Amino acid sequence: MTGVNPNPAVFLVMANGQIKTAEFPDCDELYCRFMFVHGQDWVVTSGLEEGISQFTHKSHDERQLFVWNFPLNVTYKSTNPYGWPQLVISCYGPDAFGREIVRGYGSVHIPITPGKHELDIPMYVPVSTSRFQKFTSWFMGRRPEFVDPKVVSQGEGRDVTRVRSQGHVKVCLNIVTRDMKKLGYDVTPSDVTSVPVGVNAGI
Amino acid sequence: MAEPLLKEKLRARRRAMNITAQSDINNEAVSSVDDTLTQNLAEHLEEVESEEDGNRLRSLMESRREASKRKLDAEEQEESQANVGDSEEYVDDILSTPRTPLPSRGPSRGPASPRTDTESRSSTPFGKATPRSTLRSRLQAKIQKNKMTGTSTSEEFKPRTRRLRDRMQLSTRFDETVKTESLIKETQLLERIESKLKWKQAAEKARQETGQPTETDCFDFFTKQYEDVEIVEPKPAEPVEPPHPPEEPDAVAEEPQEPSPDTEQPDTIEQQATETPPPTATEGGQAVPEQQKLLIEDLVPKELDYRLYDVYAAEYGGYQNQVDKENLNYFIPSMLPSDISKKVEDSARPRYLEDEGFYVGRKPEIGLQNKNILENRLLRQPDNGRGWFGADGEIEILPDPIKQVATKPWVEAVEEVDPSIETVYVKAYEYLVEGKYLQGSEENELQVDIGTVIYHHHALMSREHVMASNLSQCYDEYIQKRHKNYVNFYIDKLAALRRAVATILSSHDESLSTEVAASVRETRVHDFMSEIRRTSRQLNEAESSERDLMRRIIEEWREIKAVRDVQGFTNTSLKLTVKREEVNQQQDMQRWEDEVENQVEEKRDEYEISVIKPYQESLRKYQSQLQDWKKNRAKIKQQRKKLQRGSKENLLDSTNTETDEEITIAENVDKPQKPEKPEAFDVERVRVEIKNTLLEHRRNPGEPKLSLELAHTASVSTNATVPATESMRRKAMQKTSIVLKLLLNGKEVFQTEAKNLTSDFKLHFGSIFRIRITQWPESLKVQFLEAGLVMKTLLSEVYLTVPDTNVHSGNVQLTACNFTSERVEVFDHEAVGSNTPFKLHPTDTAPTSCNTRGQLISSVSWGLDENGKVLAPKGLTQVGADPLSVVNPMKTVDPVSAIGADRIQDPESLSKWVQDSRLDPNDPENAAFIPFMSGDQEGQGFLYAPDYFRLEQLQEEFNFLSDEEFERLNRLRLLELRDKEVAEFRNMTLIPSQEHEIMDSAFTVYERRLKEKKSLQLPTDQRPETATMSAHRLEVLRYRQLVKDAVLHRFYTARHHYTLQDMVHEQQVPDISTLGASVAKAFEPRRPLKPVKKDRKKATAQSLTQGSVNILVNIVRGYNLPVRVATHATAQEPTNTGRRFGGVESMIHLGSAPTAKTFEVNPFVAISFQDQVITTSVSEGRNPSWNEELKIPFAAPNNDFSSGSLQAVDDVIFVHLFDRTIEEASAQHEDDDPTLIVHRIQDHWLGTWKLPFSTVYHQGKVEGTFKLKVPPVLLGYSKDVQQTTDPSGQLDQQFAQQTSGTFLSLFITLDPILKPAEAPRPKFESQENETTLKMCGLFMEECTKKFPNRNVKATVVDLKGEAVLITRYVHPIQPPPELTEGSDPQSLSTAERVARYVSLIPFESDNVAYAGICDLWSTCDQFVHMLSGDEEEHAVLLLNFFLALGKKAYLLLGNAVPEGSTAYVLTVNEATRERTFWNASTGRYYDHKDNFSPLQSIGALVNDQNIWFNLQTLEKPSRTRFNLLNTSDWKPFFSSKFPNPGTLPTVQPDILHYSPADRAFVSGLTDQIERTLKERIASWRPRHVTRWNRSSNAILGQILRVLEATAARRTAGDSNQESELLNQLGDVRFTGFPMDMPYISVEQVVSAVRSTEVHKIVDPNVEFSLAVYIHPYPASVLAVWVYVAAIVNRRRHNL
């Protein structure tokens, strides 16, 4: 650590955490891919931007959880909060015939306030355009997928899609920021010294 | 088989009981009876587990029965014991049953008992045999003991129910209760406790593991009726028992009220309660071994054991209990209204705001019950539902936000209401209001007389009817006028007035009366006169209007007659007769003259009065004024004289000054003006005027008096004689009938019978209806229903006025009221329809349109009773006088009923009503009236609702910067530009966070571009630099920029418009073929003999980074390279050979004998791309082979590998062929070591071939043998083939002979393959008609299905982004006359010249020009205008030129090697059967037999008539048959099925205008290029001196001229070029070559020169020579020739 720069040009956002669990009512095995999507003014300084988790099986108790405990660790450098990074998660798993199909897409902005955040990301998949296609996609094991998983982090073009909700993924993220206030972005209330654990619903 | 199952079940149940028992231990309230019950049950269960099946069952039965009995005893002791005796035996039986199984317990306790077997299987926590057996025995002993000792069971059992922990602490409790217990037992007990606890833990654990006996199971155990138990029970294990008891115990457990258990109970209860002998009996009576007994004794179960087996039987609490408990926990909200006092705040009295005058609003309706339930529920809340109730004790509900009535803006013009926004008025439904009813009168009777309906227009009228209707209307008017007889009236009046005037005047003559009388008379005469004038005017008007009317009627009649003539039949019975009344000519004339004279007289009089009199007045005034003035003047003169006389005194005298002033003032008074004399009365003129007016307005003298008479006497043509359309109309008319419906207050009162339409469109109903009313008649509406065949349609509605009370049936008159309908009706027969345009007369230019309208002649009146009393309600008289009378309360609420529907549109009356009715301004329903309320009370009234809507009205507050400041901030500007995706900023990352970190330089590029763009818009003369730009060029650039902007903009918006396919990847619905293919795939051989090439996986953009993409170039070999020849110089100087060995010979060609005429070459290939150059190794010979793979890194613009940015990459891969010569450098210093040999390596450019990156990107790979572009003159090299003898050389020769030129075989691809952008969706707007487009789609589909890779297009996209049929592009266009003049248009040389001209138009790929959006086809004029285009534009232009030259030519769509899918021109020479392919963008042409032509496949041929798709299996041009008529070879687009309409106009212009070449500009440009090149070449050689050999420049220039001539005509050979040049130059060594290129920009020329690398020659003696020649062609097409040469003059250097 060098000395503190009084006039920083960038601010840093570090997100540590993990993709903890998922709840998907009607599938047994699941793995997930995550990727951080960010705007043009953001640069990953360390950590993984994309990753893929292990396969997990549903727990046998009544919670029916998929547990990944997959660590996330990324540090961003940015000059502009526009394009704040988003965590995009897409889940895949085999269907009844053992073919791998997509089980859900979901995205959430990483929290802007420092502290520990429990995020609950609702997941959804695009649905077939017709009943017949639903059948053939089921039969052929080629369910409709988003062309790019990143579209779930953007609003453009969503109006033409139809989706069905699938389940949700629980993510825990610890956020550390640096120099944001110096650049004029005050995200924490001034009278709060310690940030309480926020429980954010998914966006 | 059911046994194991049963066992399992029982076990499960037992476990469940265990759990409940444990949980229930806490409950102190549990009775001791229960305790014992569970204890017993547990005991028996224990037995069950250990015993054989039958026994187990029985014991279970028993335990259950017992349990139920014991439980019941508490409740039902007092029940009758009548049948005790009967059941005694039975009871005994039951009680004895446990005894039988007991003996079997003995063996079961043994170690090898079958029980262990079951236990191991079940793996229950009770698995261990020994502790369990001991425990069981202990339990039994305990029971016994309890029963023996404990007489007061209740007392004893109570402590047992305590918590386990309590009990453990209370170890002394046993001492308290059972004093006889020994200490040993105590210690044993403690042990038991421990083991017990372990058990429990284990059990707990097991339960968690298996998760089986959940709470639901426990619950089920007590509540659910298990059928399986019943199934098992009838087993013959207990033959002693009566047949029904097995069911009973079970039933007892569930339903204790059944009679049979009741009868048994008293016995057992007594037994148990008193001395409990049966258990003891069972224990004692059995032959239990001694030791066992001891064990039981020992292990007298303490409470702990009970705990383990604390099992409850199914418990029944009784209904009442249940209800009580439920009451405790449940809350059922009452449906009854709750007490209002609870709901209001502390003040017990509810407030009713509405009564206090506040606006409350109407609450939405909720069911009363639901509301009550809700209220009651809220009242149960801890805070009694405070906050939910309003002050009035009602639950607070927001008023209903839904508007009850749909509203629409008011449309001004009622007549031209668009039918789509037509407003249909629906009468509002009203709540019954008390006041609506009339008080106590049943005798109110309305009489409605529906008389006649006359249609003025009806949809079913024919044209004649329309006219007739017009006519009869006019006639009605006429009759009315006639009836009133205005003319005669006015004539009489006039005569009377005149007479009166005459009398007055005559009386004046007789009696000279006083002044007063005279003035009176004067005024009277005056009055009369004016009256006369007015009357005369009125007479004029009346007469003229009558005459007009008559004229119109006659005109109409004529038209009707004409129509009747034209159509040949008569539809109406109208007939007009004109009656003429002859008058006495003379008399009439006389009268007329008199009239004129009269009028003249009157005019004169009028003149006298109005003109002369005022004149005289003013004259008189003038005279008096004049006199005054004169007087005044005299006075002034006098005073002036006085003044002159005594001026001195006057100076001192102040008073005199005043007079002086006075004088001056008086002097200033003007002399009064004399009034002008009016013009004299011109009798003649007035007379003429009067005559004219009379002639115009009145009947002319002698003209017969006319009168018209309309009769219905004409006979209507019969149906038989009319044409079909007319008879259809008549039929339709006959089918149509009209029904009138009368609605009183919106309710139907009666309906007339249906009347059929008649040909005169008059329906006579003539029915009178009497309506007894009890309500106020608010509206009386007549509906016109047209009854067709099927249904009735509402045509129109009309409101009748409710009459005053004095209007009764005796005095009422029929009145007419108009109705109209705006329904649109159109017919296909003669009828004109309604509200639809039609032409009344065939000659009309503009169609007219009529709405159905007509008159209803009816009357409404109050009835009369026998006594003549009017049967009208009392209070009605006021109605009408005051719209807001209190009589009708509805009128204050509903404006329609108050002021009538028609007046509601009148803002004045509406606002008056609004003010008078005192609407509640707070009621949202009245919002529409608010503007009217504020009408006259401004300031204190309500705000006028603005009729505009402002978006983001609060935006101002959020603007934290003013717009100017905003623009000054660079950072925000940068962000904004990036957001707009401006090219320079699109992929900018990490825009600095601080304003000061942004340099102004960030914008320089962008601003420069903006400036350029702006300067393009400027007129030419204001432009700063025009050196490189001719006017036409500028125009070109401007135009290109415009097109580009427009296209980019269109596609930019299109790109941001997503479809589902863009977002979601979904498998298409499979059709049969794909399904079949997928099925067939399963049967495919695993390792096919002929494997199919699989495409390499394409890399997606996000996984790529800088440097990860390479271009792979595999250079295989070259053919037919030029070879070195011994230079002219060496040939000329054989003397030098002697010195050659001295090391100073200038040229030593390695590997070649000095004597040989030609030398070999040492060629190598250099690939240059994006400023990187990679070379192969040096090979040898004219047909070298390299087989090398070169890898060049590819850098994406802005490091963005997305397809969008890759498409715009316009970099070119250059493949240069060089010859490497190694020469010995001339020794710099003579004294150098002679043994030192210095070699200088020099590369000589032999040719080049270029490939746009976009081609590789789109095609993935480019493979083949390509012809290099070799300069026409290559000094020092020869393309001639030398005769060789060796076989390989012969082969080469053969090859070379076939093709003239140098070839390279190579393979270029990308690694990894980048995913090309998907073509934008092919659906474009189009001007083509639907069928053509459909056929195009079909054609394309069929073609691509057969040969998916063949290039075929039916429609192409023009610059407007619209799809155009491709044949429209083909149209002969004359080439520039300069190219064709003086030569045979059919000759090849002309064709070559034209091709060269076309090829000189710069080539620019659409992908690059329009950022890779799509392939746009510009028309020839656009192309020539823009001076850039790709293959299609060139080909189309060339084709059109060829067509104009009279050649037979086609546009050829196909695939060629470097460019991929392309367009060529095919010319066919019928005579020689030669077919030639022209590559229009290079100007080269190939014979169709040429195997090495770059054209690889022919997809389709197009001419202006048709498109032919190549159906032949072989697509190589050399193997294609060109008989287009053969439909099995060529599939035409326009076939016999879908013939060419022949009317497809071309999109091409007929004539292209070629601006003449701008010589001045060209010479300027030549200079500039030359200058620039010289500077650049010098700057490229920073370490060397660049000398220019000026003498050779001129020679080179000359050569270039010749070259251009040859290139354009290809007539002269270039063999003697070299020698000619060298002769002129003398002894020089010469390296260099001419290049020609189309002119794009100076920079392009420079880079082309640079790529030849002539400047890299580092020989210190080198001199450079440069010549630039530009040949101007029409339309600013320029051929740029550059000759760069490096010359080493040997003589000068003494070589």
Side-chain angles (χ1 to χ4, degrees), chain A residues 9 40-41 79 145 147 156, chain B residues 978 986 991 993 1056 1063 1065:
Chain A
Q40 287 175 316
D41 297 323
T79 57
E145 289 180 24
V147 169
E156 208 174 38
Chain B
R978 184 177 70 176
R986 188 160 48 204
I991 289 177
S993 53
H1056 283 266
M1063 296 294 292
H1065 185 74

